[in-house]
């Protein structure tokens, strides 16, 4: 058995490959490049191809299938970068990675604290030696009502951790988690919008929740609401977000993800004009914190993401159930 890793980062992912080769008995090869027509042949002789979020075209999967590739173990929780229809047609099995929820959950809490205390403005003004107080007064998170949309592993961890702050906690999920009821009240989405001072998103990207936060949703929210997103950029309509910030309806935002971030995150784009108008606008607001999709980025999580590829490939090959398999 052999895995070919595309977009493998030598400075953090690579050191975890050799221990997993020994643990699972699965060989590997790799490139730091994302898959493209000029390097698809590198996967020749491999049983699995593993990617991070990057462009993967249907014709790439067709080429891999012709080479004998059977499995596509993603090194990310999200798998929306893969053309799943093509994978299903070609009989390729897909899996996503897993990692402990605390890293992303705590990052979301950090963004909430920074947004409520206007930390971006404080730091920007301190950088030019403006140490005055006007315009910097924030809110205590403990006195806020926080609405958590999505109560899977990460969302429920956010709720559990926020419970120690003394916040009033509201939750929404299509499939409520009984354990969450110890700390939060499940309410309809419209009620969560209307009552929350801070709203944090913890959902996968699906066609059903594309632009869940749009102009109509924002209109239902409190004036001055703070939005936090460490999940998927497509959950928020960027134009509606910009308009809400410009009007003051939205008091601020903490964003680790934005729409159309492919080709931006994890690349050094210094000195370039970025072709993402909404991102450029969002970066101009002093009440908006934008980080480049790094909520996941801890040593524990990176180790788990790499191991997930070996773990899933071993399970697929042995005919064992793989809890991270994506149903096609």
């Amino acid at each position: 058995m052999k895995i070919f890793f595309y977009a493998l980062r030598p400075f953090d992912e690579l050191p975890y490959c050799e221990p997993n080769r020994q643990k699972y008995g699965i060989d590997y090869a790799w490139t730091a490049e994302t898959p493209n027509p000029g390097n698809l042949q590198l996967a020749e002789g491999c049983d699995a191809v593993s990617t991070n979020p990057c462009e993967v075209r249907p014709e790439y999967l067709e080429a891999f299938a012709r080479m004998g590739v059977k499995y596509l173990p993603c090194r990310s929780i999200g798998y929306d970068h893969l053309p799943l229809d093509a994978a299903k047609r070609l009989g390729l099995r897909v899996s996503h990675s897993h990692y402990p929820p605390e890293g992303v959950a705590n990052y979301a809490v950090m963004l909430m604290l920074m947004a409520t205390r206007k930390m971006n403005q404080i730091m920007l003004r301190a950088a030019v030696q403006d140490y005055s107080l006007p315009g910097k007064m924030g809110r205590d998170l403990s006195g806020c009502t926080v609405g958590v949309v999505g109560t899977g592993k990460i969302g429920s961890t956010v709720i559990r951790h926020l419970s120690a702050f003394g916040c009033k906690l509201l939750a929404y999920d299509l499939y409520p988690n009984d354990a969450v009821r110890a700390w939060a009240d499940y309410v309809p989405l419209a009620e969560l919008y209307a009552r929350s001072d801070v709203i944090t998103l913890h959902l996968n990207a699906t066609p059903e929740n594309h632009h869940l936060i749009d102009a109509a949703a924002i209109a239902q929210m409190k004036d001055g609401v703070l939005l936090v997103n460490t999940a998927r950029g497509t959950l928020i309509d960027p134009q509606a977000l910009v308009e809400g910030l410009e009007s003051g309806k939205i008091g601020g935002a903490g964003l680790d993800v934005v729409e159309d971030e492919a080709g931006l995150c994890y690349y050094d784009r210094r000195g370039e004009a970025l072709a993402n108008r909404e991102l450029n606008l969002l970066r101009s607001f002093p009440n908006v914190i934008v980080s480049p999709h790094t909520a996941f980025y801890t040593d524990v999580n990176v180790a788990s993401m790499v191991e997930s590829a070996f773990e899933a490939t071993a399970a697929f090959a042995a005919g064992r159930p793989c809890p991270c398999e994506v149903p096609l």
Side-chain angles (χ1 to χ4, degrees):
M1 295 297 295
K2 188 174 182 179
I3 304 172
F4 192 83
F5 290 103
Y6 283 97
L8 191 81
R9 300 186 298 268
F11 56 88
D12 60 358
E13 291 183 303
L14 183 59
Y16 296 109
C17 287
E18 183 59 25
N20 283 297
R21 183 192 69 80
Q22 298 177 24
K23 178 176 178 179
Y24 291 95
I26 296 176
D27 201 2
Y28 68 93
W30 66 282
T31 178
E33 298 177 353
T34 59
N36 63 69
N39 63 21
L40 299 182
Q41 77 283 354
L42 295 175
E44 188 77 51
C46 293
D47 304 277
V49 165
S50 177
T51 58
N52 281 323
C54 60
E55 183 182 38
V56 181
R57 300 176 185 173
E59 55 265 34
Y60 298 176
L61 299 192
E62 292 169 1
F64 294 145
R66 288 194 296 269
M67 296 174 196
V69 170
K70 305 177 187 69
Y71 317 121
L72 301 172
C74 297
R75 301 190 314 281
S76 55
I77 286 184
Y79 46 85
D80 45 308
H81 64 291
L82 291 181
L84 297 181
D85 288 345
K88 181 177 181 178
R89 172 170 52 83
L90 296 165
L92 300 172
R93 298 175 71 177
V94 178
S95 64
H96 62 87
S97 71
H98 61 81
Y99 48 76
E102 285 78 9
V104 175
N106 290 339
Y107 199 99
V109 173
M110 176 189 74
L111 289 178
M112 291 179 215
L113 290 167
M114 294 181 72
T116 52
R117 295 302 301 270
K118 300 186 178 181
M119 185 53 65
N120 197 43
Q121 184 170 167
I122 289 171
M123 294 175 69
L124 287 171
R125 287 167 58 179
V128 294
Q129 300 186 59
D130 177 2
Y131 304 123
S132 63
L133 290 176
K136 295 178 182 176
M137 186 167 65
R139 300 184 62 182
D140 190 339
L141 184 61
S142 298
C144 292
T145 296
V146 179
V148 180
V149 182
T151 57
K153 290 182 179 179
I154 293 174
S156 61
T157 301
V158 168
I159 287 172
R160 177 164 54 85
H161 289 187
L162 283 177
S163 68
F165 284 80
C167 308
K168 173 64 178 176
L169 294 168
L170 305 177
Y172 172 81
D173 198 295
L174 290 175
Y175 306 97
N177 181 342
D178 285 340
V180 166
R181 298 184 193 276
W183 305 293
D185 296 327
Y186 277 101
V187 297
L189 194 55
E191 182 177 345
L192 184 146
Y193 289 158
R195 294 175 55 190
S196 298
D197 302 299
V198 180
I199 295 173
T200 180
L201 305 177
H202 301 283
L203 301 167
N204 293 324
T206 67
E208 292 75 20
N209 62 32
H210 183 262
H211 288 180
L212 176 72
I213 305 299
D214 57 10
I218 291 169
Q220 299 175 61
M221 297 176 187
K222 279 187 174 183
D223 291 345
V225 66
L226 302 176
L227 296 181
V228 172
N229 188 7
T230 55
R232 289 291 178 266
T234 55
L235 297 174
I236 300 179
D237 178 348
Q239 182 176 343
L241 176 60
V242 167
E243 290 174 356
L245 288 161
E246 289 175 336
S247 70
K249 177 68 176 182
I250 299 174
L255 308 172
D256 187 52
V257 288
V258 295
E259 192 166 63
D260 298 327
E261 64 183 26
L264 298 177
C265 293
Y266 317 138
Y267 296 93
D268 185 347
R269 304 293 299 272
R270 280 178 290 185
E272 299 180 36
L274 301 182
N276 188 318
R277 183 168 298 176
E278 286 80 10
L279 173 60
N280 294 329
L281 284 170
L282 290 169
R283 290 171 58 215
S284 73
F285 290 106
N287 56 341
V288 175
I289 302 156
V290 182
S291 61
H293 206 147
T294 48
F296 78 97
Y297 198 52
T298 68
D299 52 353
V300 171
N301 288 359
V302 172
S304 294
M305 293 163 79
V306 173
E307 182 169 7
S308 293
F310 286 91
E311 183 181 38
T313 301
F316 286 151
R320 297 192 303 269
C322 176
C324 290
E325 183 168 5
V326 177
L328 299 179

